[in-house]
Amino acid sequence: MKLKQNKISYIALPIISSLILNGCGNENTNPNQLSLYSESSSNSDSSEWGKKVKELPSFRLKQKGTTLLSYLAFDNNKESERHELKPLINQHELAGSNENFNQVIFTDGDQQADTRRYFIVKDKNKDKIVSSYVQSKRDYDTGDYKSLAAFLKWGFSNYPAKRKIVDINDHGVAYHGIAVDDTSNSLISLPNLAKAIKMGAGKIDILNMDACLMSTIEVSYELRNLVDVIVSSEDNTLRTGMGYVQHLPEIIAKSHTNEEIAQNIVDMSDRLGKDLSHYFDPDSKVPNVFTISAVKESDMERLTFHLNRLSRMLLNKIQDYRRPLKTAFEKTHVLVVNKLDTFDMGQRDLYEVLARIEIEINGNKNLKDQEILNTIKNTREAANRAIFRARIHQSEKFAEGMGINISSDAVQSEEYKNTAFAKDTLWDELVEAINSPH
């Protein structure tokens, strides 16, 4: 089986965690006041959550500055059971902000009226939050795209910068969407995620989704006109996730393009071998490396064009190809996140799906069609171009960085049909036809 060659494989310990889904300032402030980067206002009330203030500091960075807005939507078991929020805020504080880099985060936990906005300052104490925050008077529904849009609009207005990076940290559910809010029983669908980015920021440079199952062709195609580069995982992001934030000032300082920043995020994502949520055991170990990739969004049109062409060709010959295509799908491997959970959403690695189809066609001389084989090759090459960096967990022998759904039930769902990928391609029709009894 021919697989993509530019991935980086790392030996890691066996995965011991699983995804649990319950549905998974003032513009005139002096920018030279560097004390803002190391401590919060003394006119504040300190608590375990940091320093509560009435208004966060706000000012313009230097011309080449970067603003990171992190949306920590933890109104679910990530906070109610795992208590991940405080450790993650402390990870942000390890990096802090500086004169060229602002970190602003939005947090929502499992309690009522616990929504906060933070300006993150540098602090080496991993057990104490020292950054300033503003407490909301109401509880936000973080599964509502309008909450994300409002945060992005406020954040980039008060902390304008040349480069805009957005981080969304929560459960991801592939084509269903991201940011599960248990209180409201909601999540942000893919069309609404695109709407939130467009409403809140227009376009952004880098979107990092620290959430399971979000590196898929359906997700990347949905956001192709709104984001330059996406960093995400087609598999499990392992509890407290990527851990790249502590390295972000270093990454930005040594990187000149969005692609370089994204590549370094992929390479430097590291949980230091610990389950920072201490969910199972304070001394538990988890793999440092998991499946993560960086995708150039401007290349998604090319990739989708070739995959759609392949879908049309196979549909035109479905009477002869149905059985071998079904066999190809059946031979693909379930990703680790599904192995650890109790259901199979139908997420598979795009490269393996292409390779399995190729094998079945080559294995039957009566079905061998060179035009179809060439289109598979073109689709694979387009994927190689779009996925410019991939770092793969050792247990994922068939993962290459981007997923696609092959479940007939999934592609017939309203959520899937509403995606731009389903509307613009014949992939869902092909999947349905392969599983049709006629």
Side-chain angles (χ1 to χ4, degrees), residues 206-210 229-233 242 261-263 265-266 269 292-295:
I206 300 171
L207 172 63
N208 181 78
M209 287 178 283
D210 198 335
V229 177
I230 289 179
V231 178
S232 55
S233 173
M242 298 179 180
I261 291 175
Q263 176 175 312
I265 288 175
V266 170
S269 292
I292 179 175
S293 61
V295 175

PDB file of all heavy atoms in Angstrom, residues 206-210 229-233 242 261-263 265-266 269 292-295:
ATOM      1  N   ILE A 206      -4.234  31.698  11.240  1.00  0.00           N
ATOM      2  CA  ILE A 206      -4.071  30.318  11.696  1.00  0.00           C
ATOM      3  C   ILE A 206      -5.222  29.962  12.619  1.00  0.00           C
ATOM      4  O   ILE A 206      -5.545  30.714  13.531  1.00  0.00           O
ATOM      5  CB  ILE A 206      -2.734  30.119  12.429  1.00  0.00           C
ATOM      6  CG1 ILE A 206      -1.555  30.438  11.500  1.00  0.00           C
ATOM      7  CG2 ILE A 206      -2.603  28.687  12.964  1.00  0.00           C
ATOM      8  CD1 ILE A 206      -0.213  30.476  12.197  1.00  0.00           C
ATOM      9  N   LEU A 207      -5.819  28.820  12.360  1.00  0.00           N
ATOM     10  CA  LEU A 207      -6.824  28.262  13.266  1.00  0.00           C
ATOM     11  C   LEU A 207      -6.281  26.961  13.818  1.00  0.00           C
ATOM     12  O   LEU A 207      -5.982  26.030  13.055  1.00  0.00           O
ATOM     13  CB  LEU A 207      -8.145  28.003  12.541  1.00  0.00           C
ATOM     14  CG  LEU A 207      -9.210  27.240  13.337  1.00  0.00           C
ATOM     15  CD1 LEU A 207      -9.646  28.038  14.561  1.00  0.00           C
ATOM     16  CD2 LEU A 207     -10.416  26.891  12.456  1.00  0.00           C
ATOM     17  N   ASN A 208      -6.122  26.899  15.127  1.00  0.00           N
ATOM     18  CA  ASN A 208      -5.736  25.661  15.781  1.00  0.00           C
ATOM     19  C   ASN A 208      -6.961  25.114  16.506  1.00  0.00           C
ATOM     20  O   ASN A 208      -7.573  25.806  17.312  1.00  0.00           O
ATOM     21  CB  ASN A 208      -4.612  25.896  16.782  1.00  0.00           C
ATOM     22  CG  ASN A 208      -4.189  24.607  17.460  1.00  0.00           C
ATOM     23  OD1 ASN A 208      -3.478  23.792  16.895  1.00  0.00           O
ATOM     24  ND2 ASN A 208      -4.653  24.423  18.684  1.00  0.00           N
ATOM     25  N   MET A 209      -7.311  23.881  16.198  1.00  0.00           N
ATOM     26  CA  MET A 209      -8.426  23.241  16.888  1.00  0.00           C
ATOM     27  C   MET A 209      -7.873  22.134  17.764  1.00  0.00           C
ATOM     28  O   MET A 209      -7.517  21.057  17.277  1.00  0.00           O
ATOM     29  CB  MET A 209      -9.450  22.719  15.876  1.00  0.00           C
ATOM     30  CG  MET A 209     -10.240  23.835  15.226  1.00  0.00           C
ATOM     31  SD  MET A 209     -11.429  23.271  13.970  1.00  0.00           S
ATOM     32  CE  MET A 209     -10.306  22.952  12.602  1.00  0.00           C
ATOM     33  N   ASP A 210      -7.753  22.436  19.048  1.00  0.00           N
ATOM     34  CA  ASP A 210      -7.254  21.462  20.011  1.00  0.00           C
ATOM     35  C   ASP A 210      -8.451  20.627  20.451  1.00  0.00           C
ATOM     36  O   ASP A 210      -8.991  20.794  21.544  1.00  0.00           O
ATOM     37  CB  ASP A 210      -6.610  22.180  21.190  1.00  0.00           C
ATOM     38  CG  ASP A 210      -5.711  21.268  21.992  1.00  0.00           C
ATOM     39  OD1 ASP A 210      -5.937  20.049  21.955  1.00  0.00           O
ATOM     40  OD2 ASP A 210      -4.790  21.769  22.657  1.00  0.00           O
ATOM     41  N   VAL A 229      -4.225  28.796   7.329  1.00  0.00           N
ATOM     42  CA  VAL A 229      -3.684  27.492   7.715  1.00  0.00           C
ATOM     43  C   VAL A 229      -4.482  26.946   8.895  1.00  0.00           C
ATOM     44  O   VAL A 229      -4.803  27.683   9.830  1.00  0.00           O
ATOM     45  CB  VAL A 229      -2.192  27.590   8.107  1.00  0.00           C
ATOM     46  CG1 VAL A 229      -1.667  26.240   8.565  1.00  0.00           C
ATOM     47  CG2 VAL A 229      -1.362  28.102   6.932  1.00  0.00           C
ATOM     48  N   ILE A 230      -4.775  25.649   8.854  1.00  0.00           N
ATOM     49  CA  ILE A 230      -5.441  24.972   9.970  1.00  0.00           C
ATOM     50  C   ILE A 230      -4.504  23.936  10.566  1.00  0.00           C
ATOM     51  O   ILE A 230      -3.857  23.181   9.840  1.00  0.00           O
ATOM     52  CB  ILE A 230      -6.739  24.277   9.514  1.00  0.00           C
ATOM     53  CG1 ILE A 230      -7.816  25.309   9.177  1.00  0.00           C
ATOM     54  CG2 ILE A 230      -7.271  23.341  10.609  1.00  0.00           C
ATOM     55  CD1 ILE A 230      -9.121  24.707   8.693  1.00  0.00           C
ATOM     56  N   VAL A 231      -4.426  23.913  11.900  1.00  0.00           N
ATOM     57  CA  VAL A 231      -3.709  22.867  12.623  1.00  0.00           C
ATOM     58  C   VAL A 231      -4.729  22.105  13.453  1.00  0.00           C
ATOM     59  O   VAL A 231      -5.502  22.706  14.209  1.00  0.00           O
ATOM     60  CB  VAL A 231      -2.624  23.452  13.552  1.00  0.00           C
ATOM     61  CG1 VAL A 231      -1.926  22.330  14.321  1.00  0.00           C
ATOM     62  CG2 VAL A 231      -1.606  24.262  12.751  1.00  0.00           C
ATOM     63  N   SER A 232      -4.762  20.775  13.296  1.00  0.00           N
ATOM     64  CA  SER A 232      -5.745  19.977  14.028  1.00  0.00           C
ATOM     65  C   SER A 232      -5.373  18.506  13.938  1.00  0.00           C
ATOM     66  O   SER A 232      -4.373  18.135  13.333  1.00  0.00           O
ATOM     67  CB  SER A 232      -7.162  20.214  13.481  1.00  0.00           C
ATOM     68  OG  SER A 232      -7.210  19.973  12.084  1.00  0.00           O
ATOM     69  N   SER A 233      -6.208  17.668  14.539  1.00  0.00           N
ATOM     70  CA  SER A 233      -5.954  16.227  14.563  1.00  0.00           C
ATOM     71  C   SER A 233      -7.142  15.471  13.976  1.00  0.00           C
ATOM     72  O   SER A 233      -8.288  15.812  14.256  1.00  0.00           O
ATOM     73  CB  SER A 233      -5.712  15.747  15.999  1.00  0.00           C
ATOM     74  OG  SER A 233      -5.622  14.337  16.049  1.00  0.00           O
ATOM     75  N   MET A 242      -2.671  19.656  23.012  1.00  0.00           N
ATOM     76  CA  MET A 242      -1.445  19.841  22.259  1.00  0.00           C
ATOM     77  C   MET A 242      -0.268  20.368  23.069  1.00  0.00           C
ATOM     78  O   MET A 242       0.874  20.013  22.812  1.00  0.00           O
ATOM     79  CB  MET A 242      -1.715  20.758  21.072  1.00  0.00           C
ATOM     80  CG  MET A 242      -2.720  20.171  20.097  1.00  0.00           C
ATOM     81  SD  MET A 242      -3.046  21.292  18.735  1.00  0.00           S
ATOM     82  CE  MET A 242      -4.237  20.321  17.792  1.00  0.00           C
ATOM     83  N   ILE A 261       4.902  28.953  11.240  1.00  0.00           N
ATOM     84  CA  ILE A 261       4.324  28.914  12.586  1.00  0.00           C
ATOM     85  C   ILE A 261       3.541  27.617  12.776  1.00  0.00           C
ATOM     86  O   ILE A 261       3.696  26.918  13.782  1.00  0.00           O
ATOM     87  CB  ILE A 261       3.408  30.127  12.829  1.00  0.00           C
ATOM     88  CG1 ILE A 261       4.239  31.410  12.906  1.00  0.00           C
ATOM     89  CG2 ILE A 261       2.612  29.958  14.131  1.00  0.00           C
ATOM     90  CD1 ILE A 261       3.411  32.669  13.033  1.00  0.00           C
ATOM     91  N   ALA A 262       2.698  27.277  11.805  1.00  0.00           N
ATOM     92  CA  ALA A 262       1.888  26.059  11.907  1.00  0.00           C
ATOM     93  C   ALA A 262       2.769  24.819  11.972  1.00  0.00           C
ATOM     94  O   ALA A 262       2.513  23.899  12.758  1.00  0.00           O
ATOM     95  CB  ALA A 262       0.937  25.971  10.721  1.00  0.00           C
ATOM     96  N   GLN A 263       3.811  24.784  11.158  1.00  0.00           N
ATOM     97  CA  GLN A 263       4.723  23.636  11.172  1.00  0.00           C
ATOM     98  C   GLN A 263       5.387  23.498  12.532  1.00  0.00           C
ATOM     99  O   GLN A 263       5.501  22.384  13.071  1.00  0.00           O
ATOM    100  CB  GLN A 263       5.790  23.814  10.102  1.00  0.00           C
ATOM    101  CG  GLN A 263       6.849  22.720  10.097  1.00  0.00           C
ATOM    102  CD  GLN A 263       7.821  22.874   8.944  1.00  0.00           C
ATOM    103  OE1 GLN A 263       7.412  23.068   7.805  1.00  0.00           O
ATOM    104  NE2 GLN A 263       9.104  22.787   9.236  1.00  0.00           N
ATOM    105  N   ILE A 265       4.168  24.601  15.395  1.00  0.00           N
ATOM    106  CA  ILE A 265       3.138  24.180  16.347  1.00  0.00           C
ATOM    107  C   ILE A 265       3.010  22.664  16.312  1.00  0.00           C
ATOM    108  O   ILE A 265       2.949  21.993  17.352  1.00  0.00           O
ATOM    109  CB  ILE A 265       1.785  24.847  16.045  1.00  0.00           C
ATOM    110  CG1 ILE A 265       1.831  26.334  16.402  1.00  0.00           C
ATOM    111  CG2 ILE A 265       0.654  24.165  16.813  1.00  0.00           C
ATOM    112  CD1 ILE A 265       0.579  27.107  16.033  1.00  0.00           C
ATOM    113  N   VAL A 266       2.977  22.107  15.099  1.00  0.00           N
ATOM    114  CA  VAL A 266       2.899  20.652  14.955  1.00  0.00           C
ATOM    115  C   VAL A 266       4.109  19.992  15.605  1.00  0.00           C
ATOM    116  O   VAL A 266       3.974  19.026  16.372  1.00  0.00           O
ATOM    117  CB  VAL A 266       2.814  20.265  13.464  1.00  0.00           C
ATOM    118  CG1 VAL A 266       2.979  18.749  13.294  1.00  0.00           C
ATOM    119  CG2 VAL A 266       1.487  20.716  12.869  1.00  0.00           C
ATOM    120  N   SER A 269       4.243  20.558  19.701  1.00  0.00           N
ATOM    121  CA  SER A 269       3.129  20.177  20.569  1.00  0.00           C
ATOM    122  C   SER A 269       3.589  19.051  21.485  1.00  0.00           C
ATOM    123  O   SER A 269       4.051  18.018  21.021  1.00  0.00           O
ATOM    124  CB  SER A 269       1.933  19.712  19.729  1.00  0.00           C
ATOM    125  OG  SER A 269       1.383  20.785  19.018  1.00  0.00           O
ATOM    126  N   ILE A 292      -1.329  14.807  14.434  1.00  0.00           N
ATOM    127  CA  ILE A 292      -1.593  16.237  14.264  1.00  0.00           C
ATOM    128  C   ILE A 292      -1.028  16.669  12.914  1.00  0.00           C
ATOM    129  O   ILE A 292       0.006  16.165  12.472  1.00  0.00           O
ATOM    130  CB  ILE A 292      -0.968  17.046  15.428  1.00  0.00           C
ATOM    131  CG1 ILE A 292      -1.197  18.551  15.264  1.00  0.00           C
ATOM    132  CG2 ILE A 292       0.505  16.749  15.586  1.00  0.00           C
ATOM    133  CD1 ILE A 292      -0.708  19.359  16.440  1.00  0.00           C
ATOM    134  N   SER A 293      -1.715  17.585  12.243  1.00  0.00           N
ATOM    135  CA  SER A 293      -1.253  18.013  10.924  1.00  0.00           C
ATOM    136  C   SER A 293      -1.572  19.478  10.689  1.00  0.00           C
ATOM    137  O   SER A 293      -2.407  20.074  11.373  1.00  0.00           O
ATOM    138  CB  SER A 293      -1.897  17.157   9.827  1.00  0.00           C
ATOM    139  OG  SER A 293      -3.305  17.292   9.856  1.00  0.00           O
ATOM    140  N   ALA A 294      -0.883  20.056   9.696  1.00  0.00           N
ATOM    141  CA  ALA A 294      -1.105  21.438   9.273  1.00  0.00           C
ATOM    142  C   ALA A 294      -1.545  21.430   7.818  1.00  0.00           C
ATOM    143  O   ALA A 294      -0.922  20.781   6.974  1.00  0.00           O
ATOM    144  CB  ALA A 294       0.170  22.248   9.447  1.00  0.00           C
ATOM    145  N   VAL A 295      -2.614  22.168   7.517  1.00  0.00           N
ATOM    146  CA  VAL A 295      -3.225  22.159   6.187  1.00  0.00           C
ATOM    147  C   VAL A 295      -3.262  23.569   5.626  1.00  0.00           C
ATOM    148  O   VAL A 295      -3.716  24.503   6.292  1.00  0.00           O
ATOM    149  CB  VAL A 295      -4.658  21.581   6.248  1.00  0.00           C
ATOM    150  CG1 VAL A 295      -5.338  21.676   4.883  1.00  0.00           C
ATOM    151  CG2 VAL A 295      -4.627  20.141   6.739  1.00  0.00           C
TER     152      VAL A 295
END
